[in-house]
Amino acid sequence: MELAFIPSPSRGVLYLGPVPLRGYAFCIIIGVFVAVWLGNKRWIARGGRPGTVADIAVWAVPFGLIGGRLYHVITDYQLYFSEGRDWVDAFKVWEGGLGIWGAIAFGAVGAWIGARRRGVPMPAYADAVAPGIALAQAVGRWGNWFNQELYGKATDLPWAVEITSTADGRMPGTYHPTFLYESLWCIGVALLVIWADRRFRLGHGRAFALYVAAYCAGRFWIEYMRVDDAHHILGLRLNNWTALVVFLLAVLYIVLSARKRPGREAVVEPGDRTADGDAGAEGGRDAETDAVAAFADTAADGADTGKREAKTDAADGATTDAPEAAEASEAAEASETPAAPRGEDEDDAVNAERVKNGADSAKKG
C-alpha cells in the first residue's frame, strides 16, 4: 500500500471557451521564456547588447520544435505509421513527443542563421544560453507529468508518480517519476555551467559543451529507468547510445577547444554604429577646436613678434632719420627767400625749432 505519491493531473488540458489550454504547451512556452531571460542577462554581462538573444531565439525556437518533433517521429515511427495508426497524429505536437536531440541539433541551425544575421559569433551565443536551455528542459519536463508519460519502473517510494490513464497501453499504478529526476538533474546542470563559467571563464563554446556533456551523463541513467517502448541496440535503448556518443563528442570538443583557443572571446558583438558615429563626430569637433586654438595661439605669437619688431624699427628709424631730417630742414631753409631780415639770435632759435620738429616727425614715423 502506497503511503504517499505524486498524483497526476486528471487531465492535461483545460478549455477557455473553445480555446484549449494544454499543460504540455504551457511548460514548453514557460521554458522558452526562462531560457531567453537568463540568456539575455548572461549575454549582456559578456558585453553584448540587450535584445540580441531574443532576436536569435526567433530563429532557434521554431527550428528546435521542428527538429524535436522530427526526431521523435523518426525514432518512434510505429506510433504514427504502423497499421491502425493515423499519420496525421505526427503533426499533433501538443499531445507530446519532442526529442531533445533533434531539438538541440535543429535549434543550433536556427541559432546559427540568426547569429549570422546579427553578426555575432555562434560559440559565444551558445555559451550565453547554455544554462538557460538546461532550465528550459527542467520546466518542459513537467509537460510529461500533465500527459502522464515517460515514467520509469514501478515503485512504492513516497515520491512515486501515480499513473491513472489507460491510453496507449498504460497500466495504472505508481512508478518512478523519471520526468522529475530529469528536471532536477537539468537544474543541477544549469548551476554547474554557471559556476564553471565564472570559475574558469569558459569561452568559444566550451560552456555549451559542458552543458551537453553533463546533460548526457544524467540522461544515460535516467533513460535506463524508463519502461516506455523504444528501439534497442545491443541491449541498450537508442537514446542511451545517443547520450553516450554525444557525451564523448562534447568532452572531445572541450579538450581540443581549450588547446586550440584558450580563454574567452574579448568581443561578442560588434559595437553600436550610432555610438561609433557620435564618437566620431565628437572627435571631429574636438580636432576642429584644437586646430582653431592652435591657429589663435600662432596668430597671437605673430602679433607679439610684430609689435616687438615695430618698436625696434621705430627706435632705429628715429636714430637714423634725425640727422637726415635736420639736413632736409636746412636745405629747405636755404631755398626759401626770407620775408624780412632777422638777427643771428633769431635765426639760431628758428633752426633749433626745426631740428626738434624733424626729430619728432621721425619718431612718429
Side-chain angles (χ1 to χ4, degrees), residues 31-43 53 135:
V32 170
F33 274 101
V34 170
V36 172
W37 169 78
L38 181 58
N40 184 65
K41 291 178 65 68
R42 287 173 51 80
W43 183 253
V53 170
L135 290 180

Side-chain angles (χ1 to χ4, degrees), residues 33-197:
F33 274 101
V34 170
V36 172
W37 169 78
L38 181 58
N40 184 65
K41 291 178 65 68
R42 287 173 51 80
W43 183 253
I44 294 174
R46 289 284 303 272
R49 285 180 283 181
T52 297
V53 170
D55 290 344
I56 297 177
V58 171
W59 289 88
V61 173
F63 272 75
L65 292 175
I66 294 173
R69 188 61 176 178
L70 281 176
Y71 182 88
H72 168 72
V73 172
I74 292 173
T75 56
D76 291 312
Y77 62 88
Q78 72 280 357
L79 299 177
Y80 307 99
F81 303 105
S82 61
E83 185 177 356
R85 298 285 184 170
D86 187 358
W87 62 271
V88 177
D89 292 342
F91 296 96
K92 297 179 180 179
V93 180
W94 55 88
E95 293 184 354
L98 290 175
I100 186 61
W101 313 112
I104 295 297
F106 273 64
V109 174
W112 177 79
I113 295 173
R116 281 183 60 86
R117 291 172 61 89
R118 293 284 298 193
V120 303
M122 178 62 185
Y125 178 82
D127 286 340
V129 300
I133 294 176
L135 290 180
Q137 289 179 250
V139 176
R141 272 305 174 196
W142 284 88
N144 302 134
W145 176 65
F146 280 101
N147 289 347
Q148 298 195 37
E149 60 185 2
L150 305 186
Y151 44 85
K153 300 175 182 179
T155 182
D156 58 357
L157 292 172
W159 57 82
V161 61
E162 181 189 33
I163 300 299
T164 58
S165 173
T166 58
D168 296 326
R170 294 184 180 94
M171 296 290 295
T174 55
Y175 300 86
H176 278 284
T178 53
F179 76 90
L180 176 61
Y181 299 159
E182 186 167 336
S183 179
L184 295 176
W185 182 268
C186 287
I187 293 175
V189 170
L191 295 177
L192 171 65
V193 174
I194 293 174
W195 171 81
D197 192 27

Side-chain angles (χ1 to χ4, degrees), residues 43 46-50 52 117-121 266-279:
W43 183 253
R46 289 284 303 272
R49 285 180 283 181
T52 297
R117 291 172 61 89
R118 293 284 298 193
V120 303
V267 178
V268 297
E269 189 168 5
D272 190 347
R273 295 181 180 180
T274 303
D276 291 343
D278 292 342

